[in-house]
């Protein structure tokens, strides 16, 4: 197996700084000054926020001061040096060298390692458990094909849906259990506040993504980091939706920044040619859909989705996944109940969104092989990078990934029951929008159980092509959903009352959103 590259901090800083300097070589001083001004503006504004952990950090403050002086002077060497220094700082912050030793220890301890990771409330609680993750984590997809592609020297980019901060360790386990190599993956800075999760992630390929940093220089450094990782044959994992789905939906559209780095890395390897890359350097993007009946952070996420300021916060620093005891309690309940997590790997795609076969050949809509080099080569046959063209290719790849997510969902009873309940509630209050429905009194959000079961049966009949992890009959689906909601959430998404079934409001809306986009 080919693990993520184990590159020292100094080396990765040199690589990313060199990429930046190449981009800036032909840029006029005014453009470089604009790049630095953008960084200064966004970072000063962020650091002025109370409680920011980087506020007052001497080294970073000095780098911003240096950039400010360079912009004022307009002297090209000063501008380039200031940009170089900031890029190196970001590179060191992002990079966490992969530890082969830590990975070997973790895999020897699996399946206990995942149990410790999910159930430990503190470092002292890291005691090997008897729980077998394979009894709760089901893995689907063309796994032999993916293993063959890796054996042929291909690099995989795993692109999952994102519902919870527990997704990264769950997918990490799924890769191991499927016989696939470990992957470097971007993890939000807030995820490192949990000391147990941070200990594992820093040693098992996680690189740090600070979503509070919105300046272009940081985003470019992050994309360069991803490109270098993939270019060097390091398998990668990132959530193209960007952040967790606040409303519980399957991602209807994706962020294309990191998603395009697979294409960039592939073209750069083509440009180096066989002499520089004797091994096969194909890059394939693998859609991955996670399906879980209950979500640890659901109550916090849906509150943020419905709040007006939720559109601006972009990242939540204080949800349940940052509290070790919350993770422990949730995980123990998950382990004890008959509740499974499904990780579904889809058919791999080339960087243009074409499906590939077991030999790694790209296929057109008729299933005929396509020479993908022709997409990026000029008339002389030389591969070239064209940002405008490549953005269009990445947009097409994004559409194909979103379609794969929809096709690969595993239906859970909580999604079905919540969607049915919301549909019945909307019929009882025609013309009411989401926020009006949420403001109804509890007695107004009570529906007959028979109506709910009838609607569940209709939804099941409309989605025969999807895999299910729920009972076959509507009454049993509702009972299963009620059991799960009762076991995991303080606020009930659905609850039995003498008059029928009471709909919880925001939490019900969150879970029913998983079926938005389906013909139900």
């Amino acid at each position: 197996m080919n693990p993520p590259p184990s590159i020292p901090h100094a080396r990765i800083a040199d690589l990313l700084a060199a990429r930046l300097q190449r981009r800036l070589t032909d840029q006029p001083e005014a453009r470089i000054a604009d790049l630095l001004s953008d960084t200064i503006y966004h970072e000063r504004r962020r650091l002025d926020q109370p409680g920011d952990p980087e506020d007052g950090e001497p080294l970073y403050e000095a780098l911003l001061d240096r950039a400010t002086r360079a912009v004022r002077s307009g002297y090209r060497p000063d501008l380039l040096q200031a940009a170089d220094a900031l890029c190196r700082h970001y590179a060191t912050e992002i990079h966490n060298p992969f530890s082969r030793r830590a990975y070997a220890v973790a895999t020897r301890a699996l399946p206990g390692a995942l149990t410790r990771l999910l159930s430990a409330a503190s470092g002292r609680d890291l005691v090997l458990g008897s729980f077998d993750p394979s009894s709760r984590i089901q893995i689907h997809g063309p796994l032999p094909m993916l293993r063959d592609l890796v054996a042929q020297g291909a690099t995989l980019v795993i692109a999952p849906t994102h519902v919870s901060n527990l997704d990264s360790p769950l997918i990490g386990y799924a890769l191991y259990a499927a016989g696939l190599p470990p992957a470097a993956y971007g993890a939000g800075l807030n995820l490192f506040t949990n000391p147990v999760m941070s200990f594992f992630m820093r040693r098992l390929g996680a690189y740090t993504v600070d979503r509070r940093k919105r300046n272009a220089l940081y985003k470019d450094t992050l994309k360069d980091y991803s490109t270098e990782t993939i270019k060097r044959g390091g398998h990668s994992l990132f959530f193209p939706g960007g952040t967790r789905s606040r409303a519980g939906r399957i991602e209807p559209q994706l962020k294309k920044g990191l998603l395009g780095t697979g294409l960039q890395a592939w073209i750069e390897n083509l440009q180096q040619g066989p002499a520089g890359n004797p091994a096969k350097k194909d890059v394939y993007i693998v859609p991955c859909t996670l399906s879980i009946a209950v979500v640890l952070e659901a109550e916090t996420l849906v509150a943020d989705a419905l709040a007006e300021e939720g559109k601006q916060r972009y990242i939540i620093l204080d949800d349940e996944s940052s509290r070790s005891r919350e993770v422990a309690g949730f995980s123990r309940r998950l382990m004890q109940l008959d509740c499974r997590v499904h990780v579904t790997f889809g058919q791999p795609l080339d960087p243009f969104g074409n499906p590939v076969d077991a030999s790694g050949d790209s296929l057109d809509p008729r299933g005929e092989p396509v020479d993908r080099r022709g997409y990026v080569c000029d008339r002389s046959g030389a591969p070239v990078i064209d940002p405008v063209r490549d953005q269009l290719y990445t947009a097409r790849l994004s559409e194909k990934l979103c379609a794969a997510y929809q096709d690969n969902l595993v239906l859970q009873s909580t999604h079905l029951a919540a969607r049915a309940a919301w549909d019945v509630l909307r019929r009882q209050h025609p013309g009411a929008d989401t926020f009006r429905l949420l403001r109804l009194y509890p007695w107004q959000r009570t529906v007959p159980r028979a109506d709910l079961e009838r609607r569940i049966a209709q939804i099941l009949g409309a989605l025969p092509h999807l895999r299910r992890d729920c009972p076959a009959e509507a009454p049993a689906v509702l009972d299963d959903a009620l059991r799960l909601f009762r076991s995991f959430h303080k606020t009930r998404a659905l609850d039995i009352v003498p008059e029928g079934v009471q709909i919880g409001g925001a939490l019900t809306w969150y879970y029913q959103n998983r079926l938005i986009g389906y013909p139900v």
Side-chain angles (χ1 to χ4, degrees):
M1 288 185 186
N2 187 22
S6 183
I7 307 174
H9 277 98
R11 176 60 176 155
I12 199 69
D14 287 342
L15 290 169
L16 302 191
R19 297 181 72 94
L20 174 65
Q21 294 300 324
R22 287 196 296 271
R23 277 200 303 276
L24 298 181
T25 296
D26 298 325
Q27 296 294 325
E29 286 82 355
R31 292 291 296 273
I32 304 172
D34 286 345
L35 180 68
L36 290 176
S37 296
D38 173 79
T39 300
I40 295 164
Y41 169 76
H42 283 98
E43 288 305 279
R44 290 298 187 196
R45 188 176 180 186
R46 177 177 67 85
L47 294 173
D48 284 343
Q49 299 298 316
D52 191 285
E54 278 188 298
D55 184 20
E57 183 181 311
L59 174 59
Y60 194 48
E61 292 281 357
L63 293 176
L64 293 175
D65 289 342
R66 179 180 183 179
T68 302
R69 292 193 298 271
V71 171
R72 287 172 179 167
S73 74
Y75 184 50
R76 187 178 186 85
D78 289 349
L79 293 168
L80 291 174
Q81 289 170 13
D84 180 88
L86 281 166
C87 174
R88 290 175 181 275
H89 177 83
Y90 292 150
T92 303
E93 177 186 289
I94 291 166
H95 183 53
N96 292 310
F98 180 82
S99 170
R100 294 173 183 267
R101 180 179 178 184
Y103 184 74
V105 170
T107 51
R108 281 200 303 270
L110 280 170
L114 184 71
T115 306
R116 295 201 304 275
L117 174 60
L118 294 179
S119 62
S122 71
R124 293 173 297 179
D125 296 330
L126 293 179
V127 179
L128 186 65
S130 59
F131 170 68
D132 178 10
S134 64
S135 68
R136 291 290 181 269
I137 303 174
Q138 303 292 306
I139 306 166
H140 316 281
L143 304 182
M145 176 183 178
L146 295 176
R147 290 191 290 264
D148 287 345
L149 292 174
V150 171
Q152 295 169 25
T155 301
L156 302 183
V157 176
I158 311 298
T161 57
H162 198 8
V163 293
S164 168
N165 275 336
L166 298 182
D167 294 348
S168 295
L170 290 171
I171 297 173
Y173 167 78
L175 290 172
Y176 169 80
L180 295 170
Y185 61 96
L189 182 67
N190 60 311
L191 201 54
F192 289 87
T193 59
N194 183 318
V196 179
M197 297 181 77
S198 176
F199 176 85
F200 279 89
M201 292 190 305
R202 289 188 185 278
R203 292 159 177 79
L204 298 180
Y207 57 90
T208 308
V209 179
D210 189 349
R211 296 191 183 95
R212 301 167 307 158
K213 291 188 172 73
R214 304 184 186 184
N215 66 83
L217 180 55
Y218 178 80
K219 293 178 180 179
D220 287 344
T221 304
L222 189 62
K223 286 188 282 188
D224 284 343
Y225 182 84
S226 177
T227 301
E228 281 292 338
T229 299
I230 299 168
K231 180 179 174 181
R232 293 169 178 274
H235 307 284
S236 189
L237 183 156
F238 49 78
F239 299 98
T243 186
R244 293 166 295 173
S245 174
R246 297 292 197 268
R249 290 189 63 177
I250 291 179
E251 288 81 349
Q253 57 187 11
L254 306 177
K255 297 182 182 298
K256 302 173 183 65
L258 286 181
L259 193 58
T261 60
L263 176 58
Q264 174 93 8
W266 181 69
I267 297 174
E268 289 184 13
N269 277 332
L270 286 181
Q271 290 174 331
Q272 291 186 9
N277 288 273
K280 188 174 182 180
K281 290 293 183 179
D282 284 325
V283 176
Y284 302 118
I285 291 80
V286 182
C288 178
T289 305
L290 287 104
S291 183
I292 184 169
V294 285
V295 175
L296 170 64
E297 310 102 298
E299 293 178 71
T300 298
L301 291 172
V302 71
D304 197 61
L306 292 170
E308 188 66 27
E309 64 267 24
K311 299 175 183 177
Q312 305 298 326
R313 283 174 65 189
Y314 192 58
I315 184 167
I316 302 173
L317 298 175
D318 55 353
D319 62 39
E320 294 85 344
S321 63
S322 64
R323 307 168 204 154
S324 297
R325 293 190 182 278
E326 292 276 0
V327 176
F330 176 84
S331 304
R332 279 193 291 269
R333 294 193 297 275
L334 186 68
M335 294 172 187
Q336 291 165 0
L337 290 174
D338 183 16
C339 177
R340 285 172 290 278
V341 178
H342 293 266
V343 182
T344 305
F345 296 103
Q347 183 178 12
L349 306 169
D350 67 18
F352 312 99
N354 298 311
V356 299
D357 61 18
S359 300
D361 293 327
S362 298
L363 305 175
D364 66 16
R366 297 171 298 177
E368 298 294 326
V370 176
D371 180 10
R372 53 181 171 265
R373 286 178 56 98
Y375 288 104
V376 299
C377 290
D378 60 18
R379 293 182 179 180
S380 69
V384 295
I385 291 174
D386 181 333
V388 175
R389 176 205 67 193
D390 296 344
Q391 286 177 4
L392 294 175
Y393 288 147
T394 303
R396 181 173 183 268
L397 171 64
S398 172
E399 293 173 359
K400 296 295 183 180
L401 284 173
C402 290
Y405 295 156
Q406 292 274 335
D407 291 340
N408 294 333
L409 177 70
V410 176
L411 285 175
Q412 302 274 5
S413 60
T414 48
H415 305 146
L416 289 162
R419 177 56 186 265
W422 202 253
D423 288 349
V424 172
L425 186 65
R426 283 190 298 187
R427 286 200 197 115
Q428 286 191 354
H429 302 273
D433 62 17
T434 297
F435 290 94
R436 185 177 176 186
L437 292 174
L438 292 173
R439 288 194 295 267
L440 293 173
Y441 291 107
W443 60 269
Q444 293 176 303
R445 287 188 269 108
T446 300
V447 301
R449 177 172 179 135
D451 291 354
L452 196 49
E453 291 177 354
R454 189 178 306 111
R455 181 60 183 142
I456 291 173
Q458 291 172 350
I459 296 172
L460 284 170
L463 301 173
H465 61 290
L466 294 182
R467 186 181 286 112
R468 304 176 185 177
D469 184 12
C470 62
E473 302 298 327
V477 169
L478 180 55
D479 287 338
D480 192 52
L482 289 165
R483 173 183 67 92
L484 291 166
F485 285 140
R486 193 162 45 242
S487 301
F488 283 93
H489 292 302
K490 298 172 186 176
T491 302
R492 301 284 172 81
L494 297 174
D495 202 9
I496 296 294
V497 295
E499 297 81 9
V501 179
Q502 190 174 99
I503 298 169
L507 206 54
T508 314
W509 178 76
Y510 173 88
Y511 281 103
Q512 73 92 27
N513 283 341
R514 204 65 179 166
L515 294 186
I516 287 180
Y518 290 93
V520 297

